[in-house]
Amino acid sequence: MDWSFLFETLKTLLTGVPLTLQLAATALCTGFVLAACIATLGESSFAPARWFSRLYVMLFQGTPLLVQIFVIYYGFGQINFLRSSFAWPFLAQAYWCAILALSLNTSAYGAEIIRGAIAAVPEREIEAGRAIGMAGLLLRRRVIWPQALRYGLTNYGNEAILLLKATSLASVITLMDVTGLAYRLVSKTYRSEEIFTVAGLIYLAMTFVIATCVHMLERHLNPSRRV
């Protein structure tokens, strides 16, 4: 085991951690907003809105994220009106294409998590809120959303971990995150086993931190489960 090489590899790959976390955090926040909108459309009384929500979820859950990244990064450049639109300065950059693909993908899964969490809120609690005069936004803010947060937090934490690992696919469109730097080192040294082992340990450490934070937040929101 060449410890000096592993240490140098670790130092190099750690420089890609900020980009990896930035991709994950930006996509997670953007995806959550989109997911909330899609989940709301899915519960709408307007049939076309429900159909759009279902089609959206099916499209992004049913196709590989890698294909979505390729379509956005390589495919959008073939559409003339996009090349002449205000969005092109963003879509011409690999960073924003990766953010867009990751956000759209995670929003489809997030919409289902949100929908399931809201559906899990006991009907008796909703009825109790209505019985004391709550309705509309007040009922959602005081009764439905706090309960849904507790029910959906674990699943959304798992989605955050999956999203963090999915950022490794951004390396295929030239972004130098942890995986991108690992590929570049392998192409120079041909020592793939050591390099990808270090990269895997870095991802493991990041996912452990996320899982720990989610667990602590879950304990805070559920005092009855504290041991």
Side-chain angles (χ1 to χ4, degrees):
M1 186 70 70
D2 189 344
W3 292 104
S4 61
F5 176 76
L6 292 177
F7 182 69
E8 291 301 318
T9 298
L10 178 62
K11 288 198 301 183
T12 301
L13 296 186
L14 284 177
T15 61
V17 169
L19 178 58
T20 295
L21 294 177
Q22 190 176 18
L23 287 170
T26 305
L28 187 65
C29 294
T30 306
F32 177 79
V33 174
L34 288 173
C37 294
I38 296 300
T40 301
L41 290 177
E43 298 300 318
S44 172
S45 57
F46 186 52
R50 296 197 305 272
W51 297 338
F52 174 80
S53 175
R54 292 169 186 170
L55 179 62
Y56 182 96
V57 171
M58 182 177 67
L59 175 64
F60 288 103
Q61 285 189 351
T63 56
L65 175 57
L66 183 60
V67 172
Q68 296 166 21
I69 292 174
F70 283 154
V71 168
I72 292 173
Y73 184 65
Y74 295 110
F76 281 9
Q78 308 301 315
I79 303 175
N80 290 330
F81 80 86
L82 282 179
R83 291 179 64 89
S84 58
S85 71
F86 72 93
W88 182 244
F90 297 96
L91 295 176
Q93 301 179 44
Y95 175 81
W96 292 111
C97 287
I99 290 291
L100 179 59
L102 291 167
S103 299
L104 292 174
N105 184 268
T106 192
S107 67
Y109 291 94
E112 289 296 281
I113 294 172
I114 293 172
R115 184 189 62 80
I118 292 176
V121 177
E123 185 65 27
R124 63 180 182 275
E125 296 191 14
I126 299 176
E127 291 299 325
R130 289 174 177 159
I132 61 174
M134 293 184 185
L137 182 60
L138 180 62
L139 179 64
R140 289 176 173 82
R141 185 168 60 86
R142 292 287 184 87
V143 178
I144 298 177
W145 290 343
Q147 292 289 332
L149 176 61
R150 295 187 180 96
Y151 292 127
L153 181 60
T154 299
N155 288 332
Y156 222 101
N158 291 336
E159 176 59 24
I161 291 173
L162 292 174
L163 178 62
L164 175 67
K165 294 186 289 186
T167 60
S168 61
L169 295 176
S171 62
V172 302
I173 54 174
T174 72
L175 290 181
M176 289 295 102
D177 64 337
V178 173
T179 304
L181 291 173
Y183 276 125
R184 189 169 68 177
L185 283 176
V186 169
S187 67
K188 291 180 179 180
T189 64
Y190 300 100
R191 302 176 69 169
S192 58
E193 184 176 356
E194 297 102 314
I195 293 171
F196 283 121
T197 297
V198 174
L201 291 174
I202 291 174
Y203 280 106
L204 180 63
M206 290 189 290
T207 57
F208 176 77
V209 171
I210 293 175
T212 301
C213 291
V214 170
H215 178 66
M216 292 174 62
L217 181 57
E218 187 177 19
R219 281 167 53 88
H220 175 72
L221 295 175
N222 295 276
S224 61
R225 297 184 182 180
R226 296 174 188 172
V227 179

